[in-house]
Amino acid sequence: MPLEFYYFCFFLFGLIFGSFANVLILRIPQEQSIVPRSHCPKCSHSIGWQDNIPILSWLWLKGKCRHCRTKISFRYPLIELMSGVLFVSIFHQYGFSYYTFELLIFAYFAFVAAWIDVDHMILPDVFTLGGCVIGLVGAMLNPERNFYDALFGLLLGGGFFFLIAYVGELIYKREAMGGGDIKLLAWIGSVLGLNSIMYTVAVSAFIGVFFGLVRLVLFRKSLRDPVPYGPFLVIASFCYFLCDIPTMVQWFLFLPLQP
Ligand SMILES: [Zn+2]
């Protein structure tokens, strides 16, 4: 089989899982069953298979419900597309390996958890604590990984933010860091290992500051408005296993010097 075929398959899997991600993001915080057929939130018409094809259905229906013409958010196809790109990127970087399988599980559920954090400012324990367990078990089973690297990653991830949260609470006399973020970083450590923690903390802080400034300048939002931190951690962890940040920074810094 040509390599392009596998790329296509991973993209397709990513799209299908992305479609399911939309269901999880919507229903898990409301503790609804994830099994029943999807239906339009406005007119309650159940959505047939032909209207449930990732991205294509949304384009075909021009972003509106077939029955009541209510607008369907652009976010649905966007999440499907992002999931597809995520799957292909992991395959591109790691090929057919145990680690690809582990990363797909981690990245997919971290992606879903990040969106739930965007919507509700919570990171459900099912994802973070469940992810820690799966991360450690994966490290035991996967010959490409070192169990102690995962264990110390988990401990440092959990411990580092716990310390920040504790000191923050002492200084500000209120909760400075959500417990969900601590568990998320522990989860990241259990899958990506000890070295990923400092990287994730630094890059997520950088992204967070950048995001805060953009919000301040473009949307005139106050820096005091609460922003979920989970998505920054997740994006930073994705950068850790997908991109070569030092090279990118160098490229970025030297770019203006070129004619
Ligand atoms: Zn409808």
Side-chain angles (χ1 to χ4, degrees):
M1 283 289 178
L3 200 58
E4 289 82 3
F5 172 75
Y6 294 114
Y7 275 91
F8 177 73
C9 287
F10 270 84
F11 185 62
L12 209 61
F13 274 128
L15 289 183
I16 294 166
F17 274 95
S19 180
F20 188 55
N22 279 317
V23 176
L24 295 177
I25 293 163
L26 204 65
R27 295 192 189 169
I28 283 186
Q30 297 170 355
E31 293 179 2
Q32 286 176 343
S33 167
I34 53 173
V35 183
R37 291 263 301 269
S38 36
H39 52 264
C40 169
K42 189 89 182 188
C43 68
S44 298
H45 253 100
S46 67
I47 296 168
W49 67 269
Q50 72 277 27
D51 294 345
N52 232 337
I53 301 164
I55 300 178
L56 295 180
S57 288
W58 189 87
L59 293 174
W60 176 249
L61 293 169
K62 300 193 179 71
K64 289 185 188 115
C65 169
R66 182 186 289 277
H67 304 283
C68 65
R69 315 304 296 162
T70 301
K71 266 191 89 163
I72 305 168
S73 167
F74 175 67
R75 219 179 84 165
Y76 292 99
L78 179 71
I79 283 176
E80 288 159 357
L81 183 66
M82 287 167 92
S83 170
V85 171
L86 193 61
F87 274 50
V88 170
S89 312
I90 292 172
F91 174 66
H92 175 72
Q93 204 82 311
Y94 298 95
F96 288 105
S97 65
Y98 281 107
Y99 203 41
T100 294
F101 181 62
E102 279 199 85
L103 284 179
L104 285 176
I105 295 174
F106 164 72
Y108 179 71
F109 287 107
F111 177 67
V112 171
W115 277 107
I116 291 177
D117 202 16
V118 168
D119 287 348
H120 303 279
M121 301 272 283
I122 48 160
L123 289 161
D125 285 349
V126 190
F127 291 91
T128 52
L129 296 183
C132 287
V133 173
I134 293 173
L136 286 185
V137 171
M140 263 191 276
L141 299 177
N142 182 350
E144 299 156 9
R145 287 220 285 147
N146 180 324
F147 176 73
Y148 290 102
D149 185 43
L151 181 65
F152 289 131
L154 181 146
L155 293 177
L156 179 67
F160 185 83
F161 264 0
F162 185 74
L163 198 73
I164 293 183
Y166 185 71
V167 173
E169 234 175 271
L170 285 184
I171 297 173
Y172 296 109
K173 302 270 189 286
R174 65 185 175 93
E175 197 176 89
M177 193 98 228
D181 297 320
I182 300 174
K183 291 174 228 167
L184 172 60
L185 199 62
W187 175 21
I188 290 169
S190 75
V191 176
L192 303 180
L194 189 57
N195 289 338
S196 69
I197 298 301
M198 284 307 157
Y199 177 99
T200 305
V201 169
V203 173
S204 67
F206 182 78
I207 299 171
V209 168
F210 181 74
F211 179 82
L213 289 177
V214 168
R215 233 164 71 106
L216 181 72
V217 173
L218 292 185
F219 302 101
R220 310 240 165 243
K221 295 256 189 186
S222 156
L223 284 176
R224 284 188 156 273
D225 281 354
V227 172
Y229 198 69
F232 302 140
L233 286 171
V234 169
I235 294 170
S237 73
F238 287 5
C239 291
Y240 181 75
F241 63 81
L242 286 179
C243 16
D244 182 2
I245 292 274
T247 311
M248 283 167 65
V249 169
Q250 212 173 9
W251 178 81
F252 182 76
L253 289 179
F254 284 102
L255 192 67
L257 297 178
Q258 310 211 327

